[in-house]
Amino acid sequence: MSTVRMRVTVVVVHQGHILLIREKAGYSLPGGNVEYLESIKDAARREVWEETGLLVEMDRLLWVDERIDPTGDGKHVVGIAVMANLIGEDTTPIPGGMEDEHIEWAGWVSLADWRTLPEYAGSRQDQVIRALEDHHYKPEYLGNMLGGRKQP
C-alpha cells in the first residue's frame, strides 16, 4: 500500500543559540514523524520533549518540503519545519529526553559554530539561518529535496 508520511523539523533558538541533537549519523535539528491524528503543533512539542526533555510551543511555520523517490517501493515524505519557543524554566537539554531516544548528545550551539558542523538529515542550515536573520522571511515550499533542486 502506498502512503505519504509527514515529519516535522523543529527550530528552537534560545539566547542566540540553536538546539541541536547528535545521532550516530551526525548533527540535526530535533524532529520526527507526525503520528496519525496528531497536529503539527503537538508533534513539534512531542518530538522536542522526546529527544531533549525540553518543553516548547510552536511559534510559526518556516517551510514545507518533500522527499519523493519513485524508485523501488517508492517513498513520499512531506516535511514541515517550524519555529518553536521554550516554555517553562528548564533550558538544559537531556540527550534522549524523557523517552530514551537514541540521541548521543543534545545541546545549544551558536549559529556560527553550527555552520561548521557536518550537516545531517537535511537540517537546512542556510534555510534556518535565513529564516532567523531575515525579518521579512516568509514560509516557502522548497520542492522535492531528493531531486536536488527546487521544483516549480
Side-chain angles (χ1 to χ4, degrees):
M1 171 197 231
S2 299
T3 60
V4 177
R5 290 184 340 167
M6 188 172 5
R7 38 179 301 112
V8 64
T9 298
V10 187
V11 177
V12 184
V13 177
H14 177 67
Q15 296 180 346
H17 290 70
I18 192 159
L19 180 62
L20 294 180
I21 61 171
R22 186 179 69 227
E23 300 172 279
K24 288 183 181 180
Y27 293 90
S28 68
L29 298 163
N33 290 326
V34 177
E35 296 176 357
Y36 181 68
L37 298 178
E38 182 179 43
S39 70
I40 303 299
K41 182 178 179 177
D42 289 343
R45 182 182 309 120
R46 177 183 53 76
E47 285 293 340
V48 173
W49 172 256
E50 287 178 357
E51 295 178 356
T52 70
L54 295 175
L55 295 173
V56 299
E57 187 69 36
M58 184 179 139
D59 177 39
R60 63 187 169 111
L61 175 69
L62 294 178
W63 70 80
V64 175
D65 64 29
E66 296 182 274
R67 288 161 183 81
I68 302 171
D69 182 1
T71 62
D73 291 335
K75 172 183 172 181
H76 188 171
V77 179
V78 175
I80 299 175
V82 300
M83 179 78 71
N85 298 314
L86 280 176
I87 57 175
E89 303 278 324
D90 196 2
T91 62
T92 304
I94 301 167
M98 300 296 132
E99 300 294 324
D100 196 29
E101 295 276 316
H102 297 286
I103 308 295
E104 296 177 354
W105 176 87
W108 299 103
V109 176
S110 73
L111 292 178
D113 287 344
W114 186 35
R115 291 177 181 178
T116 68
L117 296 174
E119 193 171 14
Y120 164 65
S123 57
R124 313 252 177 278
Q125 292 167 328
D126 291 339
Q127 190 75 24
V128 170
I129 291 167
R130 195 170 63 111
L132 294 174
E133 293 178 349
D134 181 355
H135 298 292
H136 301 289
Y137 179 87
K138 293 183 180 175
E140 61 183 306
Y141 172 66
L142 300 180
N144 182 7
M145 305 317 289
L146 296 180
R149 63 186 184 108
K150 190 173 178 177
Q151 303 292 314

